[in-house]
Amino acid sequence: MMNINATNATNNVDWSKISDLITQGPKKASGDVQVNKDNSLTITVNDKNGVARSTTVSIPVLDKFDTMSPAEQQNALQTVDNTLVALSNQMFLVGNLSQEDANRLVAAINTLQQDTKNVSFSHDTSKVLFDIYALMALMVEVAQKQRDATREIRLVENQQIQNSIQAQADMIASAAMTALIMGIVSTAVSGVMSTVTMARQASAFKTQMSENQGLTSLQNDLKSASLANDPVAAMKNFSSVKSNTSQGIVTEVDAVFDPLAQNIDTTISNATTAVNNTKTELATAKQQLLDLEGQEPPAEPAALEQARTNVQTKQEAYDAAKLNLMTSERELFGQMDSKIKDVRTNIAQVQEQLDAKNAQLATAAEGDKPAIQQEITDLQGQLKNLQAKDNYMCAYRAKVKSQFASEGMRQMDLSRAQSSYDMGVKALEHNEKYMSAVQQMNRWTGVQQLSMAIAQLMGTIGSSLAENQRAAGQVEQKDQVQHQEQLDQIKDLHSQALTLVQSVIQLMQAVLSAENDSVLESIRA
């Protein structure tokens, strides 16, 4: 129903008659009309989607309504009625109506109404029909403009959705390819490192096990690794060793190890905090994804994809944090190990010199033996100090590892130290055949590790294929969205065409009815 507010009207138009005309007869109109002080009309109509649309027009007959005769005023009321009906119907169908199109529609209706009110038996019927068709063409043109504008907006939105889906598919495919490349590189590096490690182990065993001193070093390493897993025992052992070591050695070692320990404390604490934080963030992201996947009604695909991307990002951050912690531990404790290794190299050199002097003493002349014996005594003193230094360094390292090293590193070091010590003991108990067997065992271990790396690579390849397949699914989803958009356009055009035809038929009925009324008035006259 059309509601008319004429409180601001400045002429003598009987708006109640117009309201009665609108609510009667075959014509349909709904909305609100505000009569302005300049006699213009602001029309507000809810379109077929329920959205409020407004336009303001001026109807020429209202400007001279006060000076018209009663018959002319009646025709003017009919013109206003037809204008309101046409505008409200057109705004209901097409939504926003530009000011230019609204004015053209008003002018066409005014011209048509003028021709209709003057009709007589001698009236040119072709002129009336021409005006009807002109009005129909105008309505079709306005509706077509609105359809074009709406279609352009929808096409842009749809293209944005398709671009987003394509970008996500490209990102998934890129991530899958990156993971595959990293898996291949990791496998290759693992194989090379296994080969190099086996070769170095074989060479190191031959050199280290040549004397009992090698077993002593392994025993110190095993003790240090065992203590590292028991902080109380490690601290107790450190205090005991320190009290039995000369102050000069303690001062020398502390000057080197104290800064290292402080750096280890700061770096590993920060790295451990990063691991814990990223682990918590990963758990939260996974829970959010689970909540979205189980949500009813189902979540939007874009939201699910964003949640999966977030999980992948948090997983990468967590893996990077763990890798950083492991790398920091190896690098920092490796600096301590390097210092211990230097001491053991000096021990081996002094031991070699001592062995040479002992051999020289056995064949030396009696006059030369006192000097050689003094050199042997000096070398023995150096060896004792180096061994005490090695023992104190191992105790210091065990204390620091028990405080700051991760459990995984401590367990790994203990396993490696135990394995090395057991192999050292057996190497001393057996001959070269045992050494050959040990090397064979290492080769089999290397082969096993390489096989595991290859199996991991196959898993990475399978995961990469799955991700690529998911990317292909994203592209297929994009095609489905595009096809659905085309189908929606066809349905929309069909619906708008039917609605427009109905509107034109109603308009023609209104015009013909008005023409018929005019003819009857002419006959009565």
Side-chain angles (χ1 to χ4, degrees), residues 278-414:
T278 54
K279 183 179 181 180
T280 301
E281 292 174 357
L282 175 60
T284 301
K286 288 183 177 179
Q287 185 60 48
Q288 291 174 349
L289 177 59
L290 289 175
D291 293 343
L292 283 176
E293 289 177 340
Q295 178 178 312
E296 290 295 335
E300 292 293 332
L304 286 172
E305 189 57 36
Q306 183 178 2
R308 294 190 184 101
T309 302
N310 187 37
V311 169
Q312 182 179 355
T313 301
K314 298 301 183 184
Q315 182 67 57
E316 292 174 353
Y318 177 56
D319 292 342
K322 290 195 297 183
L323 178 60
N324 180 58
L325 174 60
M326 182 177 66
T327 303
S328 299
E329 286 180 331
R330 287 300 172 199
E331 179 181 351
L332 295 173
F333 286 113
Q335 295 178 20
M336 283 190 169
D337 294 340
S338 177
K339 301 299 182 182
I340 295 173
K341 182 179 178 182
D342 292 341
V343 172
R344 291 177 179 176
T345 300
N346 292 336
I347 290 174
Q349 292 174 351
V350 172
Q351 182 67 52
E352 183 178 358
Q353 294 174 15
L354 183 59
D355 292 341
K357 290 300 178 181
N358 284 327
Q360 183 182 358
L361 182 63
T363 59
E366 289 296 326
D368 296 330
K369 286 184 177 180
I372 297 174
Q373 185 63 52
Q374 183 60 45
E375 291 179 357
I376 290 174
T377 302
D378 294 338
L379 289 172
Q380 287 174 340
Q382 293 179 28
L383 183 60
K384 183 179 180 180
N385 288 336
L386 288 172
Q387 289 172 342
K389 188 176 182 179
D390 176 70
N391 191 32
Y392 179 66
M393 282 182 164
C394 289
Y396 197 118
R397 179 181 61 181
K399 180 196 71 168
V400 176
K401 280 192 175 182
S402 69
Q403 293 174 335
F404 306 116
S406 63
E407 182 179 357
M409 181 181 185
R410 295 197 304 268
Q411 292 294 332
M412 185 182 300
D413 288 348
L414 178 59

Side-chain angles (χ1 to χ4, degrees), residues 7 40 73 108 119 143 145 216 219 248 254 286 314 319 330 353 369 382 429-430 439 460 476 478 488:
T7 57
S40 63
Q73 289 183 346
V119 72
K145 286 183 178 179
T216 302
Q219 190 173 13
D254 288 351
K286 288 183 177 179
K314 298 301 183 184
D319 292 342
R330 287 300 172 199
Q353 294 174 15
K369 286 184 177 180
Q382 293 179 28
E429 293 175 351
H430 300 282
Q439 295 178 28
T460 302
E476 184 178 353
K478 168 193 170 185
D488 290 343

Side-chain angles (χ1 to χ4, degrees), residues 86-106:
L87 285 173
S88 64
N89 286 338
Q90 193 69 2
M91 292 168 68
F92 173 80
L93 291 175
V94 302
N96 276 337
L97 199 62
S98 68
Q99 192 63 50
E100 179 185 358
D101 291 335
N103 292 337
R104 292 173 61 191
L105 188 59
V106 170

Side-chain angles (χ1 to χ4, degrees), residues 60 64 67 91 111 177 180 196 265 280 283 292 301 303 317 332 465 521:
K64 51 185 177 180
T67 61
M91 292 168 68
T111 300
M177 182 57 66
L180 176 60
V196 172
D265 181 10
T280 301
L292 283 176
L332 295 173
L465 291 175
E521 289 179 3

